[in-house]
Amino acid sequence: MKNIMFIAPPAAGKGTQAEKIIEKYHIPHISTGDILREISKEDSEIGNYVFETLASGKLVKDEITYQLIEERLKKEDCKNGFIIDGFPRNLDQAIEYDNILKRLGYQIGKVIVINVEEKILEKRITGRRICENCHAVYNINEEENAPQIESICDICGGKLYQRSDDNIEAFKTRYQMYLEKTIPIIEHYKKQNVLYEVNGNDNVENIAKEIDKIIREN
Ligand code: AMP
């Protein structure tokens, strides 16, 4: 199993697609966004800094992400492959990621870009709801992904919440960050011959099929 990296704009469905891969291939999903959201709950200087930065839609300082990524990748469960999502987010991070992989003896694997139109992203962002108990993700703007009752999880009955950065204002900043800082790393991976692109405007199942085809190809 090759390692997999997702590059995609905010709310492109990276988390949802990662869940499908985990179910099928039993490899860990490493999301810097998820790790940072946990850190943002801490009542400490770093916790407060991360909380404010996430809410604004800007990127946290590179150094913070390097340490947490390297620590996570050192764990035993990454030895047989992993999905990395949300990192790297800019060219400096991509260069440092190459160094981290070298130090740990890992290959880059396959880099999958999920392309989605801005208007569709906006709709997904404002409709996204997450279960605070089991972390299932819904979308109240999409019939096929809406919960049966607007604020209750279909699976476990937990309460659904909206991420603090899932609003139009933070979205604009996050999308701008993606265009300015993250798009340039696509070229970095094209040169390494590891880049694959999928059409993320389609529904969840069709995108999953396209991604699975890439994973199974040599
Ligand atoms: P995500 O869940 O991937 O949409 O990430 C949510 C937020 O976490 C981003 O808007 C950033 O503020 C922060 N973040 C996640 N990954 C990184 C990263 N690699 N570098 C800097 N900030 C990040």
Side-chain angles (χ1 to χ4, degrees):
M1 176 85 198
K2 285 193 171 165
N3 300 326
I4 295 157
M5 180 197 289
F6 280 146
I7 298 181
K14 288 175 291 176
T16 306
Q17 294 301 332
E19 285 305 319
K20 296 202 167 284
I21 298 171
I22 297 167
E23 245 172 60
K24 185 160 178 190
Y25 296 100
H26 310 287
I27 55 172
H29 171 212
I30 300 164
S31 151
T32 41
D34 286 349
I35 300 171
L36 289 167
R37 271 185 288 282
E38 280 307 308
I39 297 174
S40 76
K41 293 178 190 160
E42 290 170 15
D43 185 15
S44 63
E45 199 178 327
I46 176 145
N48 294 338
Y49 162 74
V50 171
F51 180 85
E52 297 288 331
T53 311
L54 260 63
S56 75
K58 293 195 179 130
L59 298 180
V60 305
K61 291 190 192 110
D62 290 344
E63 288 67 28
I64 295 177
T65 63
Y66 297 158
Q67 210 185 344
L68 59 89
I69 279 294
E70 188 153 1
E71 287 308 309
R72 182 62 189 86
L73 291 180
K74 270 186 192 160
K75 294 200 172 146
E76 197 56 35
D77 64 344
C78 294
K79 298 268 183 307
N80 296 321
F82 54 83
I83 310 168
I84 189 151
D85 128 31
F87 184 90
R89 272 294 220 280
N90 59 39
L91 205 48
D92 282 347
Q93 290 185 7
I95 291 165
E96 182 55 25
Y97 186 54
D98 290 343
N99 294 331
I100 293 173
L101 291 174
K102 219 176 276 166
R103 280 201 288 277
L104 298 177
Y106 291 149
Q107 301 288 323
I108 180 84
K110 294 181 175 177
V111 176
I112 302 177
V113 180
I114 308 175
N115 294 310
V116 187
E117 284 164 22
E118 187 178 353
K119 277 283 154 229
I120 295 180
L121 295 171
E122 267 189 37
K123 200 171 144 203
R124 289 194 190 158
I125 283 271
T126 51
R128 178 155 65 182
R129 298 291 182 275
I130 304 163
C131 174
E132 61 181 20
N133 181 42
C134 75
H135 311 292
V137 180
Y138 296 89
N139 201 302
I140 61 167
N141 291 339
E142 295 168 351
E143 212 179 313
E144 68 278 19
N145 298 318
Q148 280 171 5
I149 304 169
E150 186 163 324
S151 53
I152 305 288
C153 178
D154 290 352
I155 301 164
C156 75
K159 225 172 116 193
L160 304 184
Y161 74 95
Q162 192 169 19
R163 268 171 54 168
S164 64
D165 56 351
D166 276 354
N167 57 68
I168 287 293
E169 205 184 323
F171 167 74
K172 295 275 179 214
T173 308
R174 289 159 71 198
Y175 191 64
Q176 201 50 38
M177 292 284 141
Y178 180 73
L179 297 180
E180 263 174 43
K181 314 244 182 207
T182 309
I183 289 279
I185 68 179
I186 292 177
E187 224 23 66
H188 180 78
Y189 292 119
K190 244 185 212 161
K191 282 189 209 141
Q192 297 186 27
N193 259 331
V194 291
L195 196 87
Y196 301 80
E197 299 200 51
V198 302
N199 173 10
N201 299 307
D202 213 332
N203 65 43
V204 172
E205 291 311 322
N206 287 345
I207 301 168
K209 272 188 208 145
E210 232 187 297
I211 292 176
D212 197 43
K213 204 166 138 236
I214 294 169
I215 293 175
R216 285 186 284 108
E217 275 167 7
N218 274 323

